Amino acid sequence: MSIITVRNLTKRFGNFTALNGIDLDVKQGEVFGFIGPNGAGKSTAIRILLGILKATGGEAKIFGKDVWHDAVEIHRRIAYVPGDVNLWPNLTGGEVIDLLVRLRGASHRSRREEFIERFDLDPTKKCATYSKGNRQKVALIAAFASDAELYILDEPTSGLDPLMERVFQECIAEVKAQGKTVFLSSHILSEVERLCDRVSIIRQGKIIETGSLQELRHLTRTNVVVQTARSIPSLAEMEGVHDLQETERGLSFQVDAEQLGDVIAYISQYDIISLECAPPTLEDLFLHHYEEAGGAESC
Amino acid sequence: MLKELFHATGQLVRFILRRDRVRIPIWIVAIVLTTLTVAVALPGLYPTEQERQILAETMRNPAITSMLGPAYGIDNYTIGAMMAHEMLLFSALTVGIMSILLVTRHTRQDEESGRDEMIRSLPVGRLAHITAALLVVSLVNVILGALVGFSLYGLGIESMDLHGSLLYGAVLAVSGIFFAALTALAAQLAETSRGTLGLAFGALIVAYLVRAVGDVSSEPLALLSPLGLVLRTQVYVNNTWWPVVVTLIAGFVVGAFALYLNSSRDLGAGLIPARPGRKFASKFLLSPVGLVLRLQRTAIISWAIGMFVLAASYGSVFGDIESFFSNSELMQLLLPMTEGHALTEQFLTVVMAVLSMLSAIPAVLTVLRLKAEENANRIEPLLARAVSRPSLAGSYLVTAVMAAVVMQLLTALGFWSLTATVMDEPFSFSLILRAALVYIPAIWVMVGVAALLIGCKPRHASFAWFYLGYSFFVIYFGGLLRIPEWLKILTPFGNVPQLPVEEIHWLSLVVLTLAAAILMAFGLRGYRQRDVYG
């Protein structure tokens, strides 16, 4: 069942097209990664999903309801964490958490306490005195302490220390185990790689790739480092081999997914001493797309 | 759908009250106490009917009308009529300022900082936050009006009956509600809270000016201004209620329009779009002073234009005043007669004092920007560079000191441009220029006070506004309320020689300038030694 359905969504600000006909499908119970460089349109898309911005064209639905018209209805069942949390300076963190949880509906005091403890937050301090990381924790606690079916997170871990990032990842895993859905926008690729079942890559207002990491990996190259007893002739000329370099650990190169079998068969004739094959990381994937689409122009 | 738009408004109302649990009571108490203090003092100041009649005669003159609104009930000038005539306009202005500040705080300021986005991601109606802000500020105004009304009646002053007192309170309440609604509208047009404040205060000043010019020369014009309209209630004399009703309806219409615009625009966007800026910083920007000038550019230019228009509007009534004075014999309480000077010259001194205190606002604003920048964590990145604290703070001071000069020059120019055309025997430009420039040291003292506060008591920096408000009250109402001389000496503006009625007194100008320099020096010293928070 689809939790989020987006069809041909377009958003223009004056002459500037922020989103140019994007499609998204997020299914129940999955953790969906939404990745892309700065200014690609991630936050714009999320704000449209939240009914805060009005789409210029196309349709966006959450739980089968229109995100603009049924915003209140939808918001009862979702939790949102922005990437840049700004809080009311003269209220304490505890007060803000209560407010945010309360406005969503039911309040769960025990869960509030649990998450405050897990995220190690002092709720009695005024928000004006919180660091960026602590403000982020307030928003995260408010989100996890409420009973949501869908979590929309916009770069939620910015400013968190590695320990807290780990707590966050545990929270996501728990939420997922409960069959809930997570829509995670991020550019921390290791995080997305660890957490997400499927990802969409957005660039300049367009979705350029969607699929599970497994699927996407087929689109890119495998990193290979090999040491052989005898030197391998004319490897660089083989189809599908790129970036051939001599390193201390041996020959390092990349192979297109389709040619991987042929290349391995070829090099195995030269007495392999050691062979490392690493699947492409999300980072490679991302850079791959980024370069292909002409990354230079946005540098 | 309609119900959905306002979902959770009640909870947000409670939230806003929680946020402003200190701020709102302070406003209410301050306004109620000021009103009561004046009301209690008046019978003692003008105990006999004869004295009140003398004052009533002076009230007929257009100079007073331009400052306080049209006189009424002159034939039997009771304490009640006096109270309403002298205080109602300024109380309404103060309530307007309160409403503008409160509404901006809960609309555009929350939106600008991204806090509204978090609220809107909750099951909260699209219009709930702005509606809650308007409800709270309206409620504050109603409570304020009721308190003022009942407590004025409670003083037991003969001519201040329950009906009139409640109308007095109602006028304040509807003025506040109207400006609250207008601010909500401004918050839809501008993209920032500074822009919202600029638009709303601009509207307030225009309302005051239209009223001043209208009261003197054109009744229909005066009715166009909400401030002019509410003075037609003639509180304590005729007790007319329709202006209150009209203002309230106007407030609702403006508020509804603001809600409509709010529902049809994107969060974060304004209807006046932001234009793209320069690709590279100009050479001019690349120094602390350049940065301050660039940050304050819009504010200073708008204030300069505002001061010019304000001074010109005051100038425009001088023709009427001239002909009135030449026809009138019985004078002068507000403007004590001095031998050998035309009464227009005496009114010139009052106008210059008032305009100079308004000129102080942009100067003080410039200094307080240093604190605003610190609150927004934008000082830290500057001090992390090779910029010393005194040079950074000094840049703000230099800008403020220069702003004071610019404001007074434009005041003089604006005032001269209209008095020269409407008066039979116009003032010379050099006379006006001197009368304006003589106030510059006093404005510098205000700048110094703000600097000292930022250096030594940064949490209480806004106290500078109280001091300016105090100065305004003492100078504006000094004559009418017979405020003792020592209270005037406490403000720099009370120590300025009133050209051309008084001789120029160099010593007091030198003392004021020195005082300003010392205050600024201590301010800089404090700023160098204290913790900077961001």
Side-chain angles (χ1 to χ4, degrees):
Chain A
M1 191 188 114
S2 265
I3 297 289
I4 302 177
T5 345
V6 170
R7 290 284 167 272
N8 198 24
L9 190 68
T10 303
K11 175 69 187 174
R12 274 189 289 274
F13 297 107
N15 295 327
F16 174 68
T17 304
L19 293 178
N20 192 358
I22 67 166
D23 295 315
L24 287 172
D25 266 299
V26 180
K27 300 194 175 59
Q28 173 142 32
E30 72 177 346
V31 178
F32 190 91
F34 192 45
I35 59 180
N38 294 332
K42 297 191 294 288
S43 293
T44 303
I46 285 180
R47 285 181 186 156
I48 290 176
L49 288 178
L50 290 172
I52 291 172
L53 298 184
K54 193 172 187 175
T56 316
E59 106 181 337
K61 287 186 168 172
I62 296 183
F63 308 125
K65 295 181 172 125
D66 185 90
V67 292
W68 179 259
H69 288 287
D70 303 318
V72 173
E73 206 44 52
I74 293 169
H75 292 182
R76 277 185 229 282
R77 298 160 65 187
I78 68 172
Y80 167 63
V81 178
D84 194 1
V85 179
N86 205 323
L87 303 171
W88 298 271
N90 63 343
L91 299 184
T92 66
E95 284 179 309
V96 172
I97 292 171
D98 284 346
L99 170 82
L100 296 178
V101 172
R102 180 63 198 280
L103 279 172
R104 188 173 287 116
S107 78
H108 303 271
R109 197 141 276 259
S110 60
R111 289 186 52 177
R112 172 191 189 269
E113 293 308 316
E114 179 202 327
F115 283 102
I116 285 179
E117 198 155 308
R118 281 175 74 178
F119 278 103
D120 192 24
L121 178 85
D122 179 355
T124 61
K125 278 190 176 171
K126 288 270 164 77
C127 292
T129 64
Y130 280 142
S131 65
K132 162 139 182 59
N134 277 329
R135 292 200 302 267
Q136 205 65 39
K137 286 184 199 170
V138 170
L140 284 168
I141 292 166
F144 286 120
S146 48
D147 232 346
E149 294 167 47
L150 168 65
Y151 292 80
I152 297 182
L153 312 172
D154 190 359
E155 299 179 12
T157 54
S158 53
L160 289 191
D161 62 49
L163 230 60
M164 288 305 134
E165 225 168 289
R166 166 117 40 88
V167 174
F168 166 76
Q169 287 167 4
E170 286 165 17
C171 289
I172 293 291
E174 285 164 28
V175 162
K176 192 188 169 193
Q178 292 161 12
K180 294 168 176 179
T181 315
V182 178
F183 185 82
L184 173 67
S185 141
S186 181
H187 52 216
I188 302 174
L189 299 168
S190 60
E191 181 177 280
V192 174
E193 200 160 21
R194 200 167 309 154
L195 295 173
C196 295
D197 304 307
R198 292 196 307 139
V199 297
S200 272
I201 301 175
I202 183 172
R203 198 177 122 59
Q204 292 184 344
K206 282 186 173 162
I207 301 282
I208 49 179
E209 208 63 68
T210 300
S212 67
L213 284 178
Q214 209 65 34
E215 288 163 351
L216 293 189
R217 276 176 184 145
H218 283 296
L219 298 171
T220 179
R221 301 160 182 165
T222 303
N223 295 313
V224 178
V225 182
V226 67
Q227 258 185 327
T228 47
R230 294 178 288 142
S231 65
I232 311 170
S234 61
L235 182 60
E237 281 92 71
M238 270 196 87
E239 198 185 343
V241 173
H242 305 273
D243 244 353
L244 186 64
Q245 278 170 356
E246 212 53 85
T247 70
E248 290 161 19
R249 286 150 56 222
L251 282 176
S252 151
F253 55 92
Q254 295 177 338
V255 189
D256 284 338
E258 303 86 70
Q259 269 78 36
L260 187 60
D262 295 345
V263 173
I264 297 294
Y266 176 70
I267 56 175
S268 60
Q269 305 166 32
Y270 299 93
D271 299 342
I272 294 176
I273 298 170
S274 79
L275 174 67
E276 290 172 40
C277 260
T281 61
L282 195 48
E283 199 160 346
D284 297 325
L285 247 168
F286 190 69
L287 290 175
H288 176 72
H289 280 288
Y290 194 55
E291 282 157 12
E292 214 165 60
E297 70 193 70
S298 36
C299 281
Chain B
M1 179 66 193
L2 200 63
K3 202 175 149 229
E4 290 286 86
L5 282 176
F6 297 99
H7 191 264
T9 303
Q11 272 166 301
L12 288 173
V13 165
R14 282 205 295 281
F15 171 59
I16 292 175
L17 289 173
R18 168 71 186 77
R19 277 183 71 195
D20 284 351
R21 65 194 184 285
V22 178
R23 196 174 293 254
I24 289 174
I26 287 180
W27 272 109
I28 294 180
V29 168
I31 293 174
V32 172
L33 279 187
T34 315
T35 308
L36 291 185
T37 312
V38 173
V40 167
L42 276 179
L45 294 172
Y46 302 97
T48 67
E49 209 182 313
Q50 197 191 2
E51 280 177 278
R52 292 201 285 272
Q53 279 319 124
I54 293 174
L55 182 69
E57 277 311 312
T58 72
M59 288 299 179
R60 287 184 200 278
N61 96 55
I64 299 292
T65 304
S66 74
M67 295 179 79
L68 298 180
Y72 57 89
I74 290 294
D75 304 330
N76 176 21
Y77 204 49
T78 59
I79 294 289
M82 209 157 134
M83 175 71 192
H85 188 207
E86 287 172 14
M87 286 299 290
L88 194 53
L89 174 62
F90 274 86
S91 305
L93 267 175
T94 313
V95 171
I97 292 172
M98 171 189 81
S99 298
I100 289 173
L101 292 174
L102 287 178
V103 171
T104 305
R105 181 173 150 80
H106 293 286
T107 53
R108 190 45 91 166
Q109 200 181 331
D110 263 358
E111 189 171 334
E112 184 183 35
S113 61
R115 295 187 284 244
D116 208 24
E117 185 179 316
M118 262 199 318
I119 292 216
R120 287 270 287 271
S121 76
L122 302 169
V124 164
R126 226 180 295 289
L127 293 176
H129 202 178
I130 183 174
T131 309
L134 283 175
L135 280 179
V136 168
V137 177
S138 301
L139 184 73
V140 167
N141 278 299
V142 169
I143 291 173
L144 177 82
L147 276 177
V148 165
F150 283 112
S151 54
L152 280 178
Y153 172 63
L155 291 176
I157 295 168
E158 196 191 346
S159 53
M160 293 164 76
D161 56 350
L162 182 62
H163 185 187
S165 300
L166 288 183
L167 180 58
Y168 189 107
V171 164
L172 297 191
V174 295
S175 308
I177 290 171
F178 179 82
F179 281 102
L182 202 65
T183 312
L185 181 62
Q188 311 312 312
L189 302 178
E191 228 172 27
T192 61
S193 56
R194 294 174 67 82
T196 305
L197 287 175
L199 282 179
F201 279 118
L204 187 72
I205 290 172
V206 168
Y208 177 83
L209 284 181
V210 168
R211 179 214 59 79
V213 176
D215 278 348
V216 172
S217 53
S218 153
E219 182 73 12
L221 185 63
L223 289 178
L224 280 181
S225 158
L227 293 174
L229 192 61
V230 294
L231 293 184
R232 268 61 191 172
T233 48
Q234 307 206 322
V235 177
Y236 291 127
V237 177
N238 293 327
N239 290 336
T240 316
W241 279 85
W242 68 263
V244 169
V245 177
V246 172
T247 311
L248 192 63
I249 292 172
F252 275 118
V253 171
V254 173
F257 187 51
L259 291 188
Y260 166 74
L261 289 181
N262 186 268
S263 70
S264 59
R265 73 174 170 86
D266 284 338
L267 191 79
L271 291 174
I272 303 170
R275 290 166 297 140
R278 288 165 176 273
K279 193 162 186 182
F280 299 101
S282 73
K283 249 206 176 95
F284 180 67
L285 174 62
L286 303 176
S287 69
V289 181
L291 175 67
V292 178
L293 279 175
R294 176 66 186 77
L295 292 177
Q296 292 298 99
R297 186 180 64 189
T298 316
I300 289 177
I301 292 176
S302 338
W303 270 98
I305 296 171
M307 289 310 298
F308 183 89
V309 174
L310 195 61
S313 320
Y314 263 125
S316 73
V317 303
F318 266 69
D320 290 295
I321 296 170
E322 195 179 33
S323 51
F324 175 85
F325 279 145
S326 57
N327 299 333
S328 178
E329 293 292 309
L330 190 56
M331 285 297 133
Q332 232 3 298
L333 244 105
L334 184 86
L335 312 167
M337 185 64 177
T338 316
E339 283 301 317
H341 286 284
L343 289 157
T344 46
E345 286 186 354
Q346 301 201 19
F347 188 54
L348 167 68
T349 65
V350 176
V351 169
M352 276 306 161
V354 169
L355 289 173
S356 307
M357 287 185 282
L358 291 175
S359 282
I361 296 177
V364 171
L365 268 177
T366 303
V367 183
L368 291 183
R369 180 76 191 248
L370 177 62
K371 182 71 187 17
E373 291 290 296
E374 183 175 342
N375 290 346
N377 291 332
R378 289 193 290 251
I379 292 297
E380 199 177 79
L382 292 177
L383 289 181
R385 304 291 188 285
V387 174
S388 75
R389 290 185 186 197
S391 78
L392 183 66
S395 304
Y396 282 87
L397 291 183
V398 168
T399 310
V401 161
M402 291 193 303
V405 179
V406 171
M407 294 303 148
Q408 286 304 83
L409 282 175
L410 277 152
T411 299
L413 207 60
F415 189 74
W416 172 75
S417 66
L418 260 124
T419 47
T421 56
V422 299
M423 290 175 77
D424 294 332
E425 296 169 44
F427 304 118
S428 72
F429 182 64
S430 77
L431 182 140
I432 292 173
L433 190 63
R434 275 181 287 134
L437 295 186
V438 78
Y439 277 96
I440 287 176
I443 301 176
W444 287 344
V445 172
M446 292 307 306
V447 169
V449 168
L452 185 70
L453 285 165
I454 287 177
C456 301
K457 288 262 176 255
R459 280 175 176 281
H460 302 102
S462 53
F463 178 77
W465 295 126
F466 283 95
Y467 190 42
L468 189 60
Y470 166 81
S471 307
F472 197 88
F473 187 79
V474 171
I475 301 293
Y476 206 91
F477 293 106
L480 283 169
L481 300 179
R482 298 185 174 167
I483 288 170
E485 205 55 34
W486 64 270
L487 280 175
K488 291 189 204 164
I489 291 172
L490 289 182
T491 151
F493 295 94
N495 295 296
V496 175
Q498 301 186 339
L499 296 183
V501 176
E502 294 174 13
E503 288 297 311
I504 189 151
H505 191 244
W506 288 106
L507 182 64
S508 55
L509 293 184
V510 170
V511 169
L512 282 174
T513 310
L514 270 180
I518 291 169
L519 285 168
M520 288 183 210
F522 273 101
L524 284 178
R525 183 163 162 266
Y527 191 70
R528 204 173 58 203
Q529 288 168 353
R530 77 168 166 89
D531 290 345
V532 168
Y533 295 98

